[in-house]
Amino acid sequence: MSILPTAKTPPRANLQDLTVLAYGRTKIGKSTLCSQAEGALFLATEPGLNALDVYQVPILNWEDLRKACGEISAGNHPFRTVIIDTVDNAYKFCTQYVLETNKIEHESDLGYGKGYALINNEFQRVLTKLAFLPYGLFLISHAKEMEMDTRTGKYTRIVPTLPDKARKIVLGMADMVLYCDLQEEPADDGAPRMRRVIRTKPSLYYEAGDRTGRLPEVLDLDFASFRNAFNEATSPKPQPAAPLAVK
C-alpha cells in the first residue's frame, strides 16, 4: 500500500499543534507566559517555578527526560502542552548522557566530530519525537549577546543561549521563535517606562520568527494577547454582504 499522500495537509490552526521557542533575559516572564498554555506540563530541568502554580516533573538528567517523554507519548494524561524549561539544561543533560554512555570525558575523545554528532543526533531525536506528538511543545531558553563580524563591520545580535549546533536544531524545528524583550515607551507623565513585549519577526539584531505568518511584529508579553492574536488570524473573516439588486 502506498504511503504517499492523496491530499494536502492543512495549516495547523491550534497552538497545541505547534513547536514554540521562547527566550529572553532572566526573570522577564518566559515561564509565566508558557504556564498559561492549555494543559501545560513543565519538564523542569532547572529550579525557577516556585512562584508558579503549575504541573511539573523535575528533570535531573537525560534519562529522566526520556522517561517523561515515554509517558507523555503513551497518552493517558490530561496535558495538552509540554514545556521544557530550560532546553539549555536539557542539552547539557544530553551531553552528559552521551559522554557517560561512551565512557569518555569530552566530545572530542571519539575522534573528529563523532562525539558532537552523537550528542546532537540524540538531542534532535528526542525533541523531534516530542514535536510529532499531538501536543504543543514550548522550549524555553535564556538570551545572550553575540558579536557578529561581517564585511561591512561588527554588530551585536541577541540569540538563545544554546550552543551553536543545538541552537540550529531548535531554530530549525520551531514554528515560532519568540524573543521576550523590554521596550522603552513614554508614560503619561512623560517619563520613560519599560513595557514587556514579545518580538516575533526576524531582525538583524535578534533571533525571532513566525512561520505561520499570523502574529504581529510586537505583542505584549502576555499569553492572552499571544493566543488572541494567533486565533484572530486563524478565524475566518466575515464576508461583506452582497449588494442589493436594483429592480
Side-chain angles (χ1 to χ4, degrees):
M1 180 179 291
S2 175
I3 64 170
L4 300 180
T6 58
K8 293 181 179 180
T9 302
R12 301 293 180 90
N14 298 309
L15 286 174
Q16 289 74 39
D17 296 326
L18 302 179
T19 298
V20 178
L21 170 65
Y23 79 102
R25 67 180 67 195
T26 302
K27 294 181 174 61
I28 195 171
K30 304 180 295 293
S31 298
T32 300
L33 174 78
C34 296
S35 70
Q36 296 166 23
E38 183 178 351
L41 170 66
F42 278 83
L43 304 184
T45 65
E46 63 179 52
L49 298 174
N50 293 336
L52 296 176
D53 184 16
V54 296
Y55 292 98
Q56 62 172 298
V57 179
I59 302 296
L60 304 180
N61 51 55
W62 191 244
E63 290 90 338
D64 285 349
L65 184 62
R66 287 177 33 161
K67 182 178 179 181
C69 292
E71 291 193 26
I72 293 167
S73 179
N76 305 316
H77 58 75
F79 303 110
R80 299 291 309 280
T81 307
V82 179
I83 303 159
I84 300 182
D85 189 2
T86 61
V87 69
D88 305 69
N89 263 9
Y91 185 76
K92 291 178 183 177
F93 292 157
C94 181
T95 300
Q96 293 167 0
Y97 169 79
V98 171
L99 295 182
E100 291 171 3
T101 300
N102 290 274
K103 298 180 173 56
I104 56 176
E105 294 184 0
H106 191 268
E107 295 92 324
S108 61
D109 292 345
L110 286 180
Y112 181 76
K114 291 183 179 179
Y116 297 99
L118 285 175
I119 293 167
N120 292 320
N121 289 344
E122 172 68 7
F123 181 68
Q124 186 169 20
R125 182 187 70 82
V126 172
L127 287 193
T128 300
K129 183 178 179 180
L130 272 176
F132 271 116
L133 294 177
Y135 312 110
L137 177 60
F138 281 58
L139 308 172
I140 297 178
S141 180
H142 300 302
K144 67 177 181 180
E145 293 184 350
M146 178 179 290
E147 188 174 89
M148 311 299 291
D149 196 354
T150 69
R151 289 179 298 175
T152 57
K154 296 181 179 180
Y155 65 95
T156 299
R157 181 176 173 84
I158 299 173
V159 300
T161 50
L162 285 159
D164 185 56
K165 291 185 178 179
R167 185 167 62 249
K168 290 178 180 178
I169 291 171
V170 170
L171 292 175
M173 68 189 304
D175 298 298
M176 296 179 180
V177 178
L178 309 179
Y179 172 41
C180 303
D181 190 20
L182 293 174
Q183 180 169 292
E184 185 175 302
E185 295 182 346
D188 293 338
D189 59 2
R193 71 178 181 91
M194 303 306 293
R195 173 191 171 201
R196 296 187 181 195
V197 298
I198 301 171
R199 303 192 187 279
T200 71
K201 304 303 181 186
S203 168
L204 184 67
Y205 301 107
Y206 54 81
E207 193 74 61
D210 170 25
R211 283 180 180 164
T212 71
R214 295 166 179 163
L215 298 177
E217 184 172 354
V218 179
L219 284 163
D220 284 328
L221 182 50
D222 169 74
F223 191 83
S225 299
F226 169 56
R227 180 188 57 223
N228 291 342
F230 181 83
N231 289 341
E232 286 174 8
T234 59
S235 299
K237 301 296 186 291
Q239 298 299 315
L244 294 175
V246 179
K247 295 183 179 180

